[in-house]
Amino acid sequence: MSSELTRRLDCLSPDLLRQLQRGIEKEGLRVHADGQLALTPHPAGLGSALTHPHITTDFSESQLELVTGVHASAQAVVGEATELHQVVMAAMGPQRMWAGSMPCALPQDDQIPLGQYGSSNTGIAKTVYRMGLSHRYGRRMQTISGIHYNFSLPDAAWPALTASTCLSIDANTCRDNAYFSLIRNFRRHSWLLLYLYGASPALASSFVADRPHPLQKLSNDTHYLPHATSLRMGPLGYQSDAQASLKVSFNSLRDYALSLAPALTQPYPAYEKIGIRGPEGYRQMSTTLLQIENEFYGTIRPKRGIRRGERPLHALSERGVEYVEVRCMDIDPFLPVGIDAPTMRFLDVFLLHCLLEDSPPDSPAELDDSSENRFRVALRGREPGLQLLRKGQPVALQGWAQELLD
């Protein structure tokens, strides 16, 4: 452990560390008993998908999203997630919630229903946004599900950290800088989470029907890769070739906002061809590379609660980072709610380490290495002797993993 990390950690008392804040958002497809996607509307017994604070839908009307509150213990998150699952199961009748990240057997792409949120302007906008996603990436890709882990330090931690490490700046700027330090280190090392917790080495053959892929046939209805950890986080998963051209900087909140802004304001030729409207109605919200900030596919995001009508990037720029959202965790199909308390505790320690350890500025070359490492571990993580890239040089995965764990 470095002396700088030790000094920063010493600023956080055991009482403050017991107040770490976390919560989860878990997506999951509704399916019939035979494993086929349920094409029925969101169950009426679960209330409005537009306004319910804890039970809503993600991309598809068939894709539930369960959102816990914020808790000071991992076990409390599991407890609330369990209760949400019980409510959902009671309302779904004979249907079930698919237990994995890669989707169940899927129908033709255009038969996967988009999320429906009513006739209000807000509800219509949410459906139009999903229509845009379907035109840009296809509906099958959007049915991939995962667990988003939201993490923050308690407010009481920042005065001590500011006094120790940010002598010349205010507490809010110190907090923003610390969270972006966390994000940079997380992007360098997030491959470790795929190696330890990846749980999607196989997928239903319908997901890759009529498209090229490197997978091997495991059975009549399943394809896989023998050393894969998380196909969800690989090239076949929740990815975008168009967004690969984005070089978003995480060196500061200002750099992040400036590097993301063009994708939200400048037309993108391929999406201009789709158009805003067609004879059938709206096709997408805009012709820019990103319709809204949430379309940016990252393994981790800086987040801030938004006010009515406010854009997420504006909220961040005005009021700073409130928490980070980890987006690379697969659903564990062997756990009742897809994640357990020991996994959350590991995430807490990992994220705390990313926040407190030295975090030099990123560069385009390092961002490329990080993406390459993530893909290598997603597709080949259990391959004996696998090499990753560190500062452009090959390094053994297991040796680097042991360094991080130590």
Side-chain angles (χ1 to χ4, degrees), residues 45-78:
L46 296 178
S48 167
L50 178 64
T51 59
H52 198 295
H54 298 293
I55 303 173
T56 181
T57 54
D58 194 66
F59 168 79
S60 173
E61 188 75 355
S62 309
Q63 189 175 30
L64 294 163
E65 182 173 357
L66 311 184
V67 183
T68 73
V70 181
H71 296 278
S73 80
Q75 195 57 54
V77 178
V78 173

Side-chain angles (χ1 to χ4, degrees), residues 102 200-205 207-208 211-218 222-226 228 231 236 379:
M102 297 307 289
S200 55
L203 49 75
S205 300
F207 185 78
V208 291
R211 59 186 289 200
H213 61 80
L215 305 180
Q216 300 176 24
K217 188 174 182 179
L218 184 64
T222 305
H223 279 73
Y224 83 119
L225 284 177
L231 295 178
L236 284 173
L379 299 180

Side-chain angles (χ1 to χ4, degrees), residues 261-279:
L264 294 161
T265 56
Q266 297 177 6
Y268 185 70
Y271 300 155
E272 285 186 295
K273 292 180 180 178
I274 295 172
I276 298 289
R277 292 182 67 107

Side-chain angles (χ1 to χ4, degrees), residues 75-110:
Q75 195 57 54
V77 178
V78 173
E80 185 181 1
T82 301
E83 293 172 355
L84 290 173
H85 278 74
Q86 290 168 340
V87 170
V88 166
M89 292 301 293
M92 286 198 301
Q95 294 177 7
R96 295 291 180 263
M97 196 169 178
W98 188 247
S101 281
M102 297 307 289
C104 60
L106 296 174
Q108 292 297 313
D109 202 73
D110 60 1

Side-chain angles (χ1 to χ4, degrees), residues 176-298:
D176 292 342
N177 290 348
Y179 279 129
F180 273 90
S181 292
L182 181 161
I183 290 169
R184 291 194 300 276
N185 276 333
F186 182 92
R187 289 169 62 85
R188 293 175 178 119
H189 302 143
S190 60
W191 57 265
L192 179 65
L193 299 180
L194 275 59
Y195 179 67
L196 295 175
Y197 297 109
S200 55
L203 49 75
S205 300
S206 60
F207 185 78
V208 291
D210 305 320
R211 59 186 289 200
H213 61 80
L215 305 180
Q216 300 176 24
K217 188 174 182 179
L218 184 64
S219 68
N220 288 336
D221 57 7
T222 305
H223 279 73
Y224 83 119
L225 284 177
H227 296 114
T229 62
S230 177
L231 295 178
R232 168 177 170 265
M233 295 303 298
L236 284 173
Y238 211 62
Q239 307 294 332
S240 164
D241 291 338
Q243 290 186 27
S245 62
L246 277 175
K247 300 298 181 185
V248 176
S249 172
F250 294 90
N251 288 331
S252 68
L253 175 53
R254 180 178 181 275
D255 287 350
Y256 176 76
L258 287 175
S259 59
L260 198 57
L264 294 161
T265 56
Q266 297 177 6
Y268 185 70
Y271 300 155
E272 285 186 295
K273 292 180 180 178
I274 295 172
I276 298 289
R277 292 182 67 107
E280 74 284 4
Y282 280 103
R283 292 176 173 175
Q284 55 185 341
M285 296 180 73
S286 71
T287 60
T288 52
L289 182 58
L290 303 177
Q291 299 174 92
I292 60 175
E293 292 89 333
N294 288 349
E295 191 176 339
F296 177 49
Y297 299 144

Side-chain angles (χ1 to χ4, degrees), residues 294-316:
N294 288 349
E295 191 176 339
F296 177 49
Y297 299 144
T299 55
I300 186 170
R301 287 178 182 164
K303 298 282 283 191
R304 158 65 64 177
I306 61 173
R307 297 165 181 163
R308 184 178 178 87
E310 188 177 35
R311 295 291 294 257
L313 199 57
H314 179 268
L316 274 174

